[in-house]
Amino acid sequence: MRIRAARWEQEAEAIGDALARAFHDDPVIRWLLPDEKGTAAMFVALARHIHAVTDVAGDISGVAIWDPPGHRPDEEAGVPGLVAAMGDRVSYGITLDETMARHRPQQPHWYLAQLGTVPELQGTGVGSALMREGLARCDAPVYLESSKESNVPFYEKHGFQVTERFTLPDGPPVWGMWRPAP
């Protein structure tokens, strides 16, 4: 499977749609945007302005979004899109960001923000191909949060270990996971 960098000018809508479909039943995303309205636009704003690297699988059957150590988001560029996408749920986005930041390790690390495969191709190796490609560039430890307990074994297969389980305020549990440096 060919993994490549996102081509934002041509693919933003398709990337947002693929992630919205991949996360359609995700407990954290449903807590964040229960009616699913704005999910695709939220993912586009996050990937384009808040995170650093977006990889896509082939015809955008899957997407992985990464941050290298020391990455700083372009909040000035990202906030308008997030507010437009999330509407009155933007306060949940702020709560999510603050909660995740409190649990994120302090030592320098790569961060896997999102990894999703469209539903009809889940379990076919798309996610693993995205993971292998991303991990190949990581020269430091990697951290992620799994928002579904059923996904923990997938990440463990790729060398991650659960470091903690925490719960979002009035929301679902999340599993913090760490992969040591290669």
Side-chain angles (χ1 to χ4, degrees), residues 91-105:
S91 64
Y92 282 75
I94 293 167
T95 298
L96 176 64
D97 186 55
E98 290 172 350
T99 302
M100 298 293 199
R102 281 195 302 274
H103 292 274
R104 206 161 285 145

Side-chain angles (χ1 to χ4, degrees), residues 144-161:
L144 63 85
E145 298 99 0
S146 180
S147 49
K148 288 173 94 173
E149 187 173 20
S150 61
N151 289 340
V152 168
F154 168 82
Y155 294 118
E156 289 174 335
K157 180 177 85 170
H158 291 282
F160 290 85
Q161 296 177 337

Side-chain angles (χ1 to χ4, degrees), residues 7-19 40-41 44 48 60:
R7 294 187 298 260
W8 282 109
E9 297 311 312
Q10 301 90 9
E11 299 175 329
E13 187 175 324
I15 290 166
D17 180 60
L19 284 169
V44 170
R48 286 192 86 172
I60 313 178

Side-chain angles (χ1 to χ4, degrees), residues 12-181:
E13 187 175 324
I15 290 166
D17 180 60
L19 284 169
R21 291 176 56 217
F23 285 86
H24 75 280
D25 64 347
D26 182 85
V28 170
I29 299 303
R30 294 293 57 89
W31 170 83
L32 192 60
L33 296 169
D35 65 2
E36 299 184 38
K37 184 178 179 225
T39 303
M42 176 195 69
F43 278 123
V44 170
L46 288 169
R48 286 192 86 172
H49 304 294
I50 304 303
H51 298 294
V53 177
T54 302
D55 293 327
V56 298
D59 59 353
I60 313 178
S61 55
V63 180
I65 301 172
W66 301 82
D67 291 335
H71 171 72
R72 297 285 179 247
D74 184 352
E75 292 175 355
E76 187 175 326
V79 167
L82 291 169
V83 170
M86 300 175 75
D88 64 354
R89 300 293 291 185
V90 77
S91 64
Y92 282 75
I94 293 167
T95 298
L96 176 64
D97 186 55
E98 290 172 350
T99 302
M100 298 293 199
R102 281 195 302 274
H103 292 274
R104 206 161 285 145
Q106 294 303 305
Q107 78 180 81
H109 63 276
W110 278 83
Y111 175 59
L112 176 56
Q114 279 95 30
L115 174 68
T117 302
V118 296
E120 61 272 18
L121 293 176
Q122 289 175 358
T124 64
V126 173
S128 287
L130 284 161
M131 179 66 81
R132 283 190 302 274
E133 183 77 17
L135 290 175
R137 80 168 59 89
C138 296
D139 53 357
V142 182
Y143 178 77
L144 63 85
E145 298 99 0
S146 180
S147 49
K148 288 173 94 173
E149 187 173 20
S150 61
N151 289 340
V152 168
F154 168 82
Y155 294 118
E156 289 174 335
K157 180 177 85 170
H158 291 282
F160 290 85
Q161 296 177 337
V162 173
T163 55
E164 69 175 322
R165 179 186 180 274
F166 58 94
T167 303
L168 296 173
D170 297 319
V174 176
W175 291 262
M177 301 188 74
W178 182 257
R179 184 179 191 270

